[in-house]
Amino acid sequence: MTTLAHHSTHGLFTSGEPVRSWTVSTAKPVRYEVGFTPDVLDPRNPALAGAGVPGDGPAPPRRLLVVETTVDELYGDRLRAYGAARGLDFQIHVLTAHEQLKTMDAVFSVAQAMDRFGIARRSEPVVALGGGVLMDVVGLACSLYRRSTPYVRVPTTLIGLVDAGVGAKTGVNFGPHKNRLGTYHPAAQTLLDPRFLATLDRRHLSNGMAEILKIALIKDRELFGLLETHGSRLVGENFQGPSPVVRQVLGRAVHGMLEELQGNLWESELERVVDYGHSLSPTLEMRALPELLHGEAVCLDMALTTLIAERRGLVLPRERRRILDVMRGLALPIWHRLCEPGVLGEALADTVRHRDGSQRLPLPLGIGDAVFVDDVTPGELAFAAERLRTYHSEAEETGRGFGEAGHE
Ligand SMILES: NC(=O)c1ccc[n+]([C@@H]2O[C@H](COP(=O)([O-])OP(=O)(O)OC[C@H]3O[C@@H](n4cnc5c(N)ncnc54)[C@H](O)[C@@H]3O)[C@@H](O)[C@H]2O)c1
């Protein structure tokens, strides 16, 4: 509902003319769908052809598909066969996407493809097939194109499935800053198909596991237990094994993420538990480019904040040991040469600017809960980094973990 309030104040100015002003107030309902859709490229599955449009829409349905280069190489034939079998009038725009190409140039390339295709804004949602970078780029292009064009996400990486594909944010990097230009523009529909993970390499699977671990650490102790027991096997099997644990882990991760996002989609509340792992990591990730992947930087942040939490008595030594063991078991880094006081101090300062002048730093509370603090000191960051450096080098040498090598 939109309201218009008209104010008229007499006598403010010496002329005696009434001062007139208006306040427009409105609320825009937002609704979007996220759902598991196994075998999304099976021609018998109507989900992709109909995604993002209410009812049937015009026939034959027209679609612009923006597909990441590797995804096109691996799945392009099946995608084209799908389009033909479902009677789609479609074009495919192939775009190479990785962190260093997450720029406005990529957004313009999508906008040009939309122009060439002649998108009918209301009935022809753009379909994005790829990882987090491709979806963030297409989301931003669609949000800008004619001030808002609907789109559909089909994530093909693990980060895409559990994180980048389910929220409302779009964005690209700008200057040295991660996701500095962006909007809130959720896809009308996201189709989650874990089959795409069959071709994803180990490193990118581990990378996605970091975001699942984030949810486990701040709100889902049971999920942590599943990662502890089955995490490395799930990665080893590319999430394709027959065990119900695959569904449980992916389902809990997506549910946990959406539970946190839904009440705060526009992030007006600055204390967000899902920011866990994202306080120091944006600077680390951008400084290390292309060396660290997103989830790897997130894991470094989680390792540092776990040690800070332990020193404050929020996490027990044995809980810290379990957490670091899970990180190692998932082949995620817990230390990097950029984890030094200078860089970490700058990273924290940038986050404070981003969070309106306060740290609002989520720290783990045991396993499965979190608290916010505003008073982390440079000394605490340095201490945590130094302990992790020692742990890292001892683990490299001995193959053993924290505690086992005598650190309690
Ligand atoms: N919008 C959000 O809310 C949100 C949330 C989390 C992360 N992100 C963003 O997501 C990005 C990270 O996403 P990502 O980890 O998916 O990285 P990515 O998009 O760079 O994809 C990684 C690589 O995987 C390849 N690939 C994609 N699908 C494949 C498949 N099925 N098989 C084989 N290879 C495949 C691609 O070629 C790509 O080079 C970051 O930029 C991060 O900021 C956004």
Side-chain angles (χ1 to χ4, degrees):
M1 189 185 74
T2 305
T3 60
L4 181 65
H6 179 205
H7 321 283
S8 178
T9 319
H10 283 277
L12 266 188
F13 295 119
T14 45
S15 71
E17 279 293 302
V19 177
R20 300 178 79 192
S21 63
W22 292 261
T23 304
V24 179
S25 164
T26 191
K28 183 182 169 194
V30 173
R31 184 192 166 94
Y32 66 95
E33 311 275 335
V34 177
F36 281 93
T37 313
D39 284 325
V40 78
L41 297 182
D42 184 330
R44 290 166 300 181
N45 186 344
L48 181 56
V53 267
D56 285 341
R62 295 178 76 240
R63 287 294 179 277
L64 173 66
L65 306 152
V66 184
V67 184
E68 206 280 324
T69 302
T70 309
V71 176
D72 186 52
E73 279 160 23
L74 293 165
Y75 300 96
D77 289 349
R78 288 191 62 200
L79 185 59
R80 287 169 182 81
Y82 179 89
R86 301 289 327 177
L88 289 179
D89 172 10
F90 66 97
Q91 272 176 28
I92 294 184
H93 179 63
V94 178
L95 188 70
T96 303
H98 53 71
E99 204 59 43
Q100 284 163 297
L101 294 178
K102 196 175 179 187
T103 62
M104 284 308 289
D105 284 341
V107 172
F108 296 145
S109 141
V110 175
Q112 267 156 9
M114 291 165 80
D115 248 357
R116 275 196 304 271
F117 186 71
I119 286 273
R121 204 176 74 76
R122 289 176 194 282
S123 55
E124 297 171 1
V126 176
V127 180
L129 281 104
V133 171
L134 181 115
M135 291 188 295
D136 278 3
V137 164
V138 174
L140 181 53
C142 288
S143 143
L144 295 174
Y145 195 81
R146 300 203 161 182
R147 298 187 186 84
S148 168
T149 297
Y151 69 114
V152 168
R153 286 180 293 212
V154 184
T156 60
T157 61
L158 188 51
I159 284 220
L161 278 168
V162 299
D163 197 344
V166 305
K169 287 198 273 195
T170 78
V172 293
N173 303 330
F174 183 63
H177 299 294
K178 188 158 171 65
N179 295 332
R180 189 51 51 100
L181 299 179
T183 58
Y184 296 97
H185 184 55
Q189 203 169 342
T190 296
L191 307 174
L192 306 174
D193 182 0
R195 289 278 165 100
F196 286 110
L197 302 180
T199 49
L200 199 62
D201 64 43
R202 292 288 148 88
R203 189 170 169 208
H204 280 95
L205 290 165
S206 293
N207 184 43
M209 276 295 205
E211 296 284 7
I212 300 181
L213 179 59
K214 171 188 81 177
I215 293 292
L217 288 177
I218 46 117
K219 63 173 292 168
D220 191 343
R221 197 178 169 79
E222 210 170 314
L223 180 58
F224 182 85
L226 290 172
L227 293 182
E228 199 168 35
T229 316
H230 306 283
S232 59
R233 179 171 58 81
L234 295 181
V235 170
E237 294 173 354
N238 286 52
F239 282 80
Q240 304 302 301
S243 136
V245 179
V246 173
R247 276 207 314 279
Q248 282 169 27
V249 166
L250 294 176
R252 292 187 85 98
V254 171
H255 184 78
M257 185 68 79
L258 283 174
E259 234 173 22
E260 292 306 316
L261 296 181
Q262 53 89 24
N264 189 25
L265 212 51
W266 318 128
E267 300 183 358
S268 47
E269 171 56 64
L270 293 171
E271 287 192 352
R272 306 168 66 236
V273 282
V274 281
D275 274 344
Y276 184 54
H278 293 69
S279 304
L280 308 165
S281 65
T283 298
L284 291 173
E285 182 181 351
M286 292 304 282
R287 293 277 172 97
L289 262 182
E291 196 185 328
L292 285 175
L293 299 178
H294 179 72
E296 293 171 344
V298 167
C299 192
L300 292 172
D301 182 319
M302 296 194 297
L304 286 161
T305 44
T306 296
L307 283 234
I308 293 172
E310 182 195 2
R311 199 168 179 222
R312 289 181 173 219
L314 301 170
V315 163
L316 297 172
R318 68 181 146 79
E319 290 169 331
R320 175 260 302 155
R321 202 176 325 121
R322 285 175 68 195
I323 294 169
L324 295 184
D325 282 351
V326 168
M327 290 172 175
R328 279 191 62 207
L330 294 171
L332 285 165
I334 51 118
W335 184 80
H336 183 271
R337 64 188 153 68
L338 286 177
C339 295
E340 50 90 9
V343 174
L344 293 177
E346 284 173 42
L348 191 57
D350 194 50
T351 285
V352 166
R353 271 192 295 278
H354 185 58
R355 296 184 188 154
D356 207 21
S358 293
Q359 291 182 357
R360 304 176 212 269
L361 195 83
L363 288 181
L365 179 61
I367 291 173
D369 204 353
V371 287
F372 289 92
V373 300
D374 283 320
D375 58 352
V376 168
T377 63
E380 282 178 289
L381 286 171
F383 174 84
E386 183 51 28
R387 281 197 82 195
L388 288 169
R389 191 186 64 77
T390 311
Y391 169 66
H392 168 79
S393 41
E394 284 178 3
E396 292 278 286
E397 275 168 33
T398 63
R400 289 183 299 181
F402 229 10
E404 296 164 61
H407 293 276
E408 276 306 324

